[in-house]
Amino acid sequence: MQLLTLARDLKRRKARERRSQFVAEGVRTVEELLRSPLKVRGALQTLALAESPRGQALLYELARRSIECGVVSEKEFVSAADTDHPQGILAIADVPERSLAALTLADTTRILVLDAIQDPGNAGTLVRSAAALGVSAVVALPGTADLWNAKAVRSGVGAHFRLPALHASLDEFTVFLNEKRLVLWGTDADGEPVDSLQAPRRLAIAVGNEGAGLSEGIRKLSAKIAGLPMAGQVESLNVSVAAGIMLWAVRA
């Protein structure tokens, strides 16, 4: 089956980049995908999906839109799925065309920058947090997990489908900062307490690699290094948790 072969192929980052397509897996993720403006190319299901009312509703919506939905065995589905316990539905959709040059920013804006965030689950959760806290866009720099990895998409719970989230080189991002008159703040556990800082109207906040922190390139570009004051013996937080607090503190 062509859809099954395609879904298996899209487990690889190179295939996703070459085809400009991705896989959305799980009932809730596919529901969110169908609510979004993204183009859905097809879906795969197992017979078990139709055993629940929610699964039946999803199948009805796919049929109503004339989206091809192939029925495969549990074994075949697992070969294309990213999770150990898939929910019997995945959809294939086009990655939206997004670029730094195409971003339109308000006078007061916030951008979240992912500086070599390696775990796709963290990357997806960061996109979701950004969307929840009114961020205008998420920019993923080199070394960051593919934002369209199935785990990242699942962790984003639909945020990828609406919020501009895109990859860019450090050079492209540097030009973007200058052209859009954005101030960049890096983040670090030893940085200046964020609650003591006055956020500029146009601000980009960079969060660094889970183990190594910010790259040297981003440190050099940063006007300030902001941090979260913590009580007790806790030295650091998960990057997704820390970023959420930081974004709340500087919300426009």
Side-chain angles (χ1 to χ4, degrees), residues 23-214:
V23 171
E25 184 180 321
V27 172
R28 185 174 180 185
T29 308
V30 176
E31 287 174 342
E32 292 295 330
L33 177 61
L34 292 174
R35 294 188 187 109
S36 80
L38 272 58
K39 176 68 175 179
V40 182
R41 296 293 180 177
L44 290 175
Q45 66 152 119
T46 63
L47 290 174
L49 182 68
E51 294 175 0
S52 71
R54 197 169 171 184
Q56 291 171 9
L58 196 51
L59 290 172
Y60 171 81
E61 185 62 18
L62 288 165
R64 188 184 71 81
R65 298 191 186 194
S66 300
I67 296 171
E68 180 184 357
C69 188
V71 180
V72 295
S73 68
E74 292 285 347
K75 183 177 181 180
E76 288 172 324
F77 192 90
V78 167
S79 73
D82 178 70
T83 57
D84 293 330
H85 303 287
Q87 297 178 321
I89 183 67
L90 63 79
I92 296 165
D94 290 349
V95 174
E97 292 186 14
R98 292 167 176 167
S99 68
L100 291 175
L103 289 178
T104 301
L105 304 181
D107 288 339
T108 301
T109 195
R110 301 289 181 260
I111 301 290
L112 179 62
V113 183
L114 312 187
D115 185 20
I117 299 297
Q118 292 184 318
D119 181 76
N122 281 338
T125 301
L126 285 161
V127 174
R128 184 183 184 191
S129 297
L133 291 163
V135 170
S136 299
V138 175
V139 180
L141 297 180
T144 298
D146 181 15
L147 296 178
W148 298 99
N149 171 292
K151 184 177 181 181
V153 172
R154 195 166 59 253
S155 298
V157 198
H160 289 68
F161 310 150
R162 298 175 181 85
L163 178 71
L166 54 101
H167 290 266
S169 69
L170 182 58
D171 286 345
E172 290 170 334
F173 179 64
T174 303
V175 171
F176 173 73
L177 282 179
N178 293 329
E179 288 183 345
K180 300 296 185 181
R181 296 176 286 107
L182 281 158
V183 176
L184 175 65
W185 286 2
T187 57
D188 188 273
D190 296 324
E192 296 180 63
V194 68
D195 56 359
S196 70
L197 301 174
Q198 180 65 44
R201 293 177 68 181
R202 289 192 161 204
L203 176 65
I205 290 278
V207 292
N209 176 270
E210 293 90 339
L214 293 173

Side-chain angles (χ1 to χ4, degrees), residues 205-236:
I205 290 278
V207 292
N209 176 270
E210 293 90 339
L214 293 173
S215 65
E216 190 60 31
I218 285 296
R219 283 189 178 273
K220 288 179 179 178
L221 280 176
S222 297
K224 291 184 182 294
I225 301 296
L228 297 174
M230 287 180 281
Q233 302 301 310
V234 177
E235 294 183 358
S236 64

